[in-house]
Amino acid sequence: MHTNRHLTLAAFKQRAGRTVAVAALAAAALTGTGAADALTLPTAPAAAVTTDVADLATGAGSAELREGAAAPAAATLRDRIVAAARGQIGVTESSSACQKYLTGKGQTCRNTSWCAAFAEWTWRKAGVKNGPTTLLGRGVGKWGQEHHLFHTGSPKPGDLVVYGPPAYARGGHVGVVVSVNRDGTLDTVEGNVSNKVTHRHINPRTATGGTKNWKISGYVTPPGA
């Protein structure tokens, strides 16, 4: 009886020792500690060490280890454009706030069409460099063609939506796509609609804009998106 009991205890200790060794080697791999040094680290009871190894495998380890996890990804360029556009909803011509869209253009919101200026401002606010600078909505589409950024389908948030055939000509309109919905509709934010920055929910096949009620001709992708 006593002999068998001693053998059983010895086997248990041997198994516990192996568990400790495996845990130490795992810790060494994660922390950069040498294997030999790891094996000399103070040991914990087998049950506790086994729990720590499981925690390491599932990401549920100590706070010190969790601090090394990657930070959430920063907002994308498209996210920043959408945020800039949504943040301006409700700005009117009677408010001096709309004047920032026309900075450097020598115009005011009340004496010029400013839909293109607003759309271009959202891109600049989000960090786009060397975007269009025209005051013509259709001109934004023409600029997109010239820079190989104009496309007729599959819009994405952050794209500019162009009403009217691309051309440096009047009568068109432009806005910012802020959401592409499962049913094929779009949410846009557009400047100079009823003299203010307006949110619209549209069907891209039938929506119109501008003084000539042009239909959508296509979209312009932000450079670098």
Side-chain angles (χ1 to χ4, degrees), residues 38-57:
L39 290 174
T40 63
L41 294 173
T43 59
V49 172
T50 303
T51 300
D52 289 344
V53 172
D55 287 347
L56 292 174

Side-chain angles (χ1 to χ4, degrees), residues 8-24 39 43-50 53:
T8 301
L9 287 173
F12 175 80
K13 291 178 181 179
Q14 185 177 16
R15 290 178 183 176
R18 286 198 297 268
T19 302
V20 171
V22 170
L39 290 174
T43 59
V49 172
T50 303
V53 172

Side-chain angles (χ1 to χ4, degrees), residues 23-225:
L25 289 172
L30 288 171
T31 64
T33 306
D37 292 338
L39 290 174
T40 63
L41 294 173
T43 59
V49 172
T50 303
T51 300
D52 289 344
V53 172
D55 287 347
L56 292 174
T58 60
S62 66
E64 290 77 12
L65 288 175
R66 288 197 297 272
E67 287 176 359
T76 67
L77 175 60
R78 292 184 181 278
D79 293 334
R80 296 195 298 273
I81 294 169
V82 169
R86 287 189 181 277
Q88 300 300 298
I89 293 173
V91 171
T92 67
E93 286 186 3
S94 61
S95 167
S96 60
C98 70
Q99 193 56 40
K100 62 176 173 282
Y101 313 139
L102 291 158
T103 299
K105 296 182 183 295
Q107 304 285 344
T108 67
C109 298
R110 294 187 180 187
N111 69 11
T112 190
S113 297
W114 49 276
C115 61
F118 167 73
E120 293 159 6
W121 177 89
T122 65
W123 276 15
R124 292 196 305 273
K125 184 71 173 177
V128 172
K129 307 295 184 183
N130 302 317
T133 58
T134 178
L135 286 174
L136 301 170
R138 294 171 62 189
V140 173
K142 186 62 176 176
W143 178 92
Q145 286 184 332
E146 293 170 349
H147 291 79
H148 308 290
L149 296 170
F150 182 84
H151 54 100
T152 59
S154 302
K156 295 180 180 179
D159 284 353
L160 301 186
V161 52
V162 179
Y163 298 82
Y168 290 116
R170 297 183 180 278
H173 183 59
V174 65
V176 183
V177 178
V178 296
S179 178
V180 178
N181 307 309
R182 291 183 179 181
D183 62 359
T185 61
L186 303 176
D187 283 275
T188 64
V189 176
E190 304 176 9
N192 201 29
V193 175
S194 300
N195 300 324
K196 62 182 179 180
V197 179
T198 302
H199 169 261
R200 298 181 69 191
H201 180 75
I202 63 173
N203 181 335
R205 292 174 294 180
T206 59
T208 60
T211 58
K212 294 186 177 181
N213 290 318
W214 287 107
K215 288 188 175 181
I216 293 172
S217 62
Y219 309 88
V220 182
T221 298

